[in-house]
Amino acid sequence: MPSAPERSDRWTAGDATRRAVLGDGHVDAAAARTNAFDDGFQTFITEGAWGSVWSRPGLTRRERSLITIALLAALGHDEEVAMHVRATRNTGASMADVAEALMHVAVYAGVPAANSAFRIAKDVYAGLE
């Protein structure tokens, strides 16, 4: 991660949004694992994904959360699906919202992708109870 004097306004906004969505614990753990090999990548996702896309005013965090879960499920990114299902605690997306998004995955991306994502979401929700 860039040092404080090197942080752009977009990085600062992205870090705040990332923390609001994923939680301080997740972001702090990711920062602790960052080294010279992936520092540029971490800066890229903080500024690009979180500072540009997730920080835009056009959609609510709930809406972005559901879109993100559906896309990740459609692409088979299971670890990221789980992370973003956990993040729904912070985005306002309900369990029913996630189920509806995954039904769209079944129709538009395929039943196997949705089936896997439903299993992951069920496991995440069971762990949160």
Side-chain angles (χ1 to χ4, degrees):
M1 302 284 185
S3 62
E6 298 172 9
R7 292 179 182 156
S8 67
D9 290 344
R10 186 170 294 160
W11 190 95
T12 301
D15 184 60
T17 300
R18 188 178 186 191
R19 287 176 181 283
V21 172
L22 299 178
D24 287 332
H26 174 86
V27 177
D28 290 343
R33 289 188 305 271
T34 300
N35 61 26
F37 178 71
D38 66 342
D39 181 66
F41 174 73
Q42 289 296 322
T43 298
F44 170 74
I45 63 172
T46 302
E47 290 178 347
W50 297 104
S52 291
V53 176
W54 272 85
S55 295
R56 292 172 56 86
L59 298 171
T60 66
R61 286 190 180 153
R62 177 186 161 274
E63 292 165 333
R64 288 184 197 287
S65 180
L66 294 170
I67 291 167
T68 300
I69 291 167
L71 287 166
L72 293 170
L75 293 168
H77 297 300
D78 297 350
E79 185 178 316
E80 297 280 323
V81 169
M83 178 179 69
H84 279 276
V85 169
R86 281 190 297 277
T88 61
R89 295 174 295 180
N90 301 324
T91 66
S94 70
M95 197 184 297
D97 291 335
V98 172
E100 288 299 321
L102 296 180
M103 291 297 290
H104 279 266
V105 171
V107 170
Y108 293 102
V111 170
N115 188 42
S116 178
F118 268 107
R119 179 188 48 76
I120 292 163
K122 285 170 56 176
D123 288 349
V124 168
Y125 287 129
L128 295 177
E129 293 176 357

